[in-house]
Amino acid sequence: MGEILEQVFISVGLLVCLVCLVKCVRFSRYLLLNYCKVLPRPFLRSMGQWAVITGAGDGIGKAYSFELARRGLNVVLISRTLEKLQAVAREIEWTTGSRVKVIQADFTRDDIYECIKEKLKGLEIGILVNNVGMLPNLLPSYFLSAPDDIQSLIHCNVTSVVKMTQLVLKHMESRRKGLILNISSGVALFPWPLYSMYSASKAFMCVFSKALQAEYRAKGIIIQVLTPYAVSTAMTKYLNTNIITKTAEEFVRESLNYVTIGDETCGCLAHEVLAGFLSLIPAWAFYSNAFQRLLLTRYTSYLKQNAKGR
Ligand SMILES: NC(=O)c1ccc[n+]([C@@H]2O[C@H](COP(=O)([O-])OP(=O)(O)OC[C@H]3O[C@@H](n4cnc5c(N)ncnc54)[C@H](OP(=O)(O)O)[C@@H]3O)[C@@H](O)[C@H]2O)c1
């Protein structure tokens, strides 16, 4: 009996060591890619001449547009407000010298894709950033108390990813080259109470993205889903930045170092560590009423105190 117990303890110990080793290897790959700049700078440009970014008029999408233009790509900016798009386009052309096209489209509608397809015709698209998304409630809220724009949310957060991918992937497949970045969210990594619709819509992105990567990896296409936590943008009412809450520019610059790290990443080291800690919370505690009360009280007052709501 004693010997069997000893064997069990040794096996469990070895298993724990193995898990720790895997985590250390993954962590060191982040350090290597971020600090040693292992990814050659022309890598992104080698995907093709143009990058297409949805939700490019502000926040994370705007930051991707600037950074990709800085790295030598021409950019197609697709978003809702034409004046904002034109202002961003002028600034990108002026500061980077890259070519910029703008397409005004409202992703809460599902009749926009023929027009987008027409406007993208003939472009050698190497990168697609499926960034557009909406968060119905920044403050935690029960499903029945959240804004009732379910169809718009599904069109914007789910349909847009599938349709834009369908438009661009065919050409990437024939060129056997391309990069698709799908901006999901940390709340997609497991179901988040009080953000149910948002969390579920972003989880769709993770599943779709990872399944697609398995299908198209052998055809030379990289499809990566990003699951960031807080980034200070209009969506998060310009939360004060800190070690966790990144500016859009910081987040984007770092995330582009990790495009070859695998089919899923938080996009920055700080969020990767946070995700690791959150995954240690046992499900019974995470889905308890006490945790929801904590979100409704402490987290809500944190958001109210730190949001600038510009
Ligand atoms: N910020 C965060 O903390 C955070 C964390 C995790 C994941 N994300 C995800 O990252 C993505 C970008 O978020 P963000 O914080 O950068 O948002 P943001 O600052 O609110 O910017 C969103 C951009 O998308 C555009 N947009 C919104 N709804 C649209 C629609 N129906 N049709 C066309 N364009 C639309 C906006 O257009 P206008 O210029 O007209 O406003 C704006 O340019 C989202 O998918 C979000 O879910 C954000």
Side-chain angles (χ1 to χ4, degrees):
M1 185 64 186
E3 261 179 39
I4 295 177
L5 217 60
E6 197 180 300
Q7 288 298 324
V8 170
F9 280 132
I10 291 174
S11 309
V12 171
L14 283 174
L15 207 67
V16 171
C17 289
L18 195 70
V19 171
C20 290
L21 191 72
V22 170
K23 290 204 169 176
C24 285
V25 169
R26 189 169 162 84
F27 195 71
S28 50
R29 285 186 67 208
Y30 273 96
L31 295 178
L32 204 68
L33 285 166
N34 195 32
Y35 296 108
C36 302
K37 304 279 179 276
V38 174
L39 197 70
R41 205 170 159 81
F43 179 83
L44 296 170
R45 175 63 186 81
S46 74
M47 292 288 132
Q49 289 175 14
W50 289 84
V52 176
I53 302 103
T54 66
D58 214 334
I60 297 173
K62 179 178 164 186
Y64 270 113
S65 308
F66 265 93
E67 196 53 36
L68 291 171
R70 254 182 230 116
R71 297 190 191 200
L73 285 112
N74 299 321
V75 286
V76 181
L77 317 179
I78 314 182
S79 196
R80 186 175 45 189
T81 313
L82 187 60
E83 299 72 43
K84 277 167 92 174
L85 279 176
Q86 287 169 336
V88 175
R90 275 194 300 274
E91 211 181 322
I92 291 179
E93 281 171 340
W94 177 252
T95 53
T96 67
S98 291
R99 289 174 61 198
V100 185
K101 277 179 187 286
V102 300
I103 303 176
Q104 183 183 24
D106 181 350
F107 284 99
T108 60
R109 296 169 49 165
D110 64 353
D111 58 355
I112 54 173
Y113 296 98
E114 270 310 309
C115 172
I116 295 178
K117 184 178 171 185
E118 221 24 63
K119 292 186 174 162
L120 294 182
K121 221 176 223 165
L123 301 183
E124 186 195 71
I125 298 167
I127 300 180
L128 167 66
V129 186
N130 278 315
N131 163 77
V132 74
M134 55 192 271
L135 169 67
N137 52 300
L138 175 60
L139 299 182
S141 170
Y142 285 103
F143 172 64
L144 290 178
S145 314
D148 182 17
D149 45 7
I150 294 170
Q151 199 54 61
S152 298
L153 180 120
I154 293 172
H155 280 320
C156 190
N157 292 12
V158 176
T159 313
S160 71
V161 183
V162 181
K163 289 292 219 177
M164 287 304 301
T165 301
Q166 195 184 32
L167 285 186
V168 167
L169 188 58
K170 289 195 199 80
H171 304 288
M172 289 181 170
E173 185 186 19
S174 60
R175 293 173 47 241
R176 298 191 70 82
K177 205 185 262 189
L179 168 68
I180 300 180
L181 299 174
N182 293 320
I183 315 303
S184 172
S185 164
V187 301
L189 294 174
F190 35 87
W192 272 75
L194 306 174
Y195 290 99
S196 51
M197 277 303 291
Y198 183 68
S199 170
S201 69
K202 291 293 183 177
F204 170 89
M205 249 176 142
C206 287
V207 174
F208 176 66
S209 190
K210 288 199 250 180
L212 214 60
Q213 175 63 114
E215 289 177 34
Y216 286 89
R217 184 180 290 114
K219 297 181 177 176
I221 296 156
I222 301 173
I223 302 169
Q224 186 182 66
V225 63
L226 289 99
T227 55
Y229 286 96
V231 181
S232 178
T233 64
M235 181 179 276
T236 50
K237 303 263 185 283
Y238 298 101
L239 274 176
N240 292 331
T241 54
N242 54 36
I243 191 160
I244 295 294
T245 307
K246 304 284 171 187
T247 66
E249 292 73 24
E250 279 169 352
F251 170 75
V252 165
R253 239 179 285 123
E254 187 175 343
S255 74
L256 284 173
N257 291 334
Y258 304 137
V259 295
T260 55
I261 207 161
D263 56 7
E264 182 181 295
T265 169
C266 287
C268 70
L269 202 52
H271 293 189
E272 203 64 46
V273 173
L274 177 64
F277 277 118
L278 288 173
S279 71
L280 296 176
I281 303 176
W284 61 263
F286 196 79
Y287 297 111
S288 65
N289 286 336
F291 184 74
Q292 287 179 41
R293 269 199 303 278
L294 204 72
L295 281 179
L296 284 167
T297 53
R298 295 289 176 86
Y299 186 58
T300 297
S301 59
Y302 168 81
L303 289 175
K304 284 183 175 164
Q305 275 166 21
N306 286 279
K308 295 193 191 77
R310 272 188 260 162

